[in-house]
Amino acid sequence: MATAQPVPEDSPALRAEVIATARGMNAAGINVNKAGNVSVRCSRGRKTGFVITPTGVPYDALTPPDLVFVPLASPATGDGLPEGVIGERKPSSEWRFHFDILRTRREFDAIVHTHSQAATALACHGLGIPAFHYMVAAAGGRDIRCAPYATFGTQELSDNALVALRGRKACLLAHHGVIACERTLARALSLAIEVENLAGMYLRARQIGDPPTLSAAEMDRVIEKFATYGQPAARKHA
Ligand SMILES: [Zn+2]
């Protein structure tokens, strides 16, 4: 498992990077309107947490003060936010899976969530993405799983996502969308784009039958090669 990086301070520059990533999702065609959300791990003094896009604000109108800092302390019971949230606005309704992923997966510092079309189309059938193409390994394993459906914003959805993300950097969410996790915002966005690209190819491949899949041994070889290159989310190795 990758070692944790130093956590940057919450700053206007870091928040601007989150906003640029949110706008980047829409520019890349993997998100429409305000459906998705973005977070990055950071600290405020001695408190570690993350900043996340707020609920209900169009990305074009977002400014750094609109983002919300959520401390990675123990959450309140039920769907309540943890104590110590800082912000004028409410965090994204999906703050809980950002919270749970960043709290339990120290190798990730940035999360991108989208409702990208092809990946969500597969997820509406409860389908993940098997090893039909070697780039599936960009998500860290032999396949990309689809988490069972649960209502948006709930602990159940977060729990399901955490299971689907075991040993993976990305998963689909049934009847919902995609989560992509990485060490930087740029890499998380790149991974979300890659997952959508793979989902689109898989949908097309399925139109003429179930495509054969690569063997576990071959996928393990690709995963190993990606680890050596250190660029799994980019397509520079091709
Ligand atoms: Zn969503």
Side-chain angles (χ1 to χ4, degrees):
M1 192 167 282
T3 50
Q5 304 182 102
V7 178
E9 269 290 311
D10 183 3
S11 67
L14 186 69
R15 288 172 173 232
E17 217 186 306
V18 172
I19 293 168
T21 306
R23 290 175 183 158
M25 292 195 297
N26 291 28
I30 61 165
N31 201 61
V32 171
N33 295 332
K34 303 167 282 182
N37 35 72
V38 178
S39 68
V40 69
R41 189 190 302 275
C42 61
S43 63
R44 284 179 76 100
R46 302 176 112 195
K47 276 191 184 163
T48 301
F50 58 95
V51 287
I52 186 165
T53 46
T55 189
V57 183
Y59 299 151
D60 282 345
L62 274 182
T63 62
D66 290 320
L67 270 57
V68 183
F69 176 82
V70 180
L72 280 169
S74 298
T77 50
D79 286 340
L81 279 161
E83 276 187 34
V85 169
I86 300 169
E88 303 271 300
R89 298 188 182 274
K90 283 169 123 179
S92 159
S93 56
E94 297 294 13
W95 67 269
R96 186 172 287 276
F97 65 65
H98 291 260
F99 180 95
D100 288 336
I101 293 165
L102 290 171
R103 192 174 47 155
T104 59
R105 299 287 297 270
R106 289 304 309 266
E107 72 269 40
F108 300 139
D109 292 315
I111 300 174
V112 164
H113 167 59
T114 83
H115 296 177
S116 61
Q117 290 236 350
T120 304
L122 288 173
C124 288
H125 285 274
L127 292 169
I129 306 177
F132 80 106
H133 190 289
Y134 79 94
M135 278 302 292
V136 166
R142 297 172 183 170
D143 59 8
I144 300 170
R145 304 185 191 102
C146 180
Y149 179 77
T151 310
F152 77 95
T154 60
Q155 185 64 56
E156 189 186 1
L157 175 63
S158 182
D159 292 345
N160 293 349
L162 283 184
V163 172
L165 282 168
R166 278 186 192 149
R168 304 287 186 273
K169 300 174 180 185
C171 71
L172 311 190
L173 304 172
H175 307 283
H176 186 156
V178 177
I179 301 174
C181 314
E182 260 288 6
R183 301 193 72 159
T184 65
L185 287 161
R187 287 179 69 154
L189 176 60
S190 175
L191 180 57
I193 292 168
E194 188 59 56
V195 171
E196 177 60 11
N197 184 46
L198 287 163
M201 289 193 284
Y202 184 51
L203 274 176
R204 290 187 76 168
R206 280 177 65 98
Q207 287 174 9
I208 50 170
D210 249 354
T213 52
L214 297 168
S215 68
E218 177 55 19
M219 287 303 283
D220 288 349
R221 186 177 307 145
V222 175
I223 292 162
E224 179 65 33
K225 277 182 79 108
F226 281 174
T228 314
Y229 278 82
Q231 300 267 10
R235 272 175 267 165
K236 289 177 183 165
H237 60 277

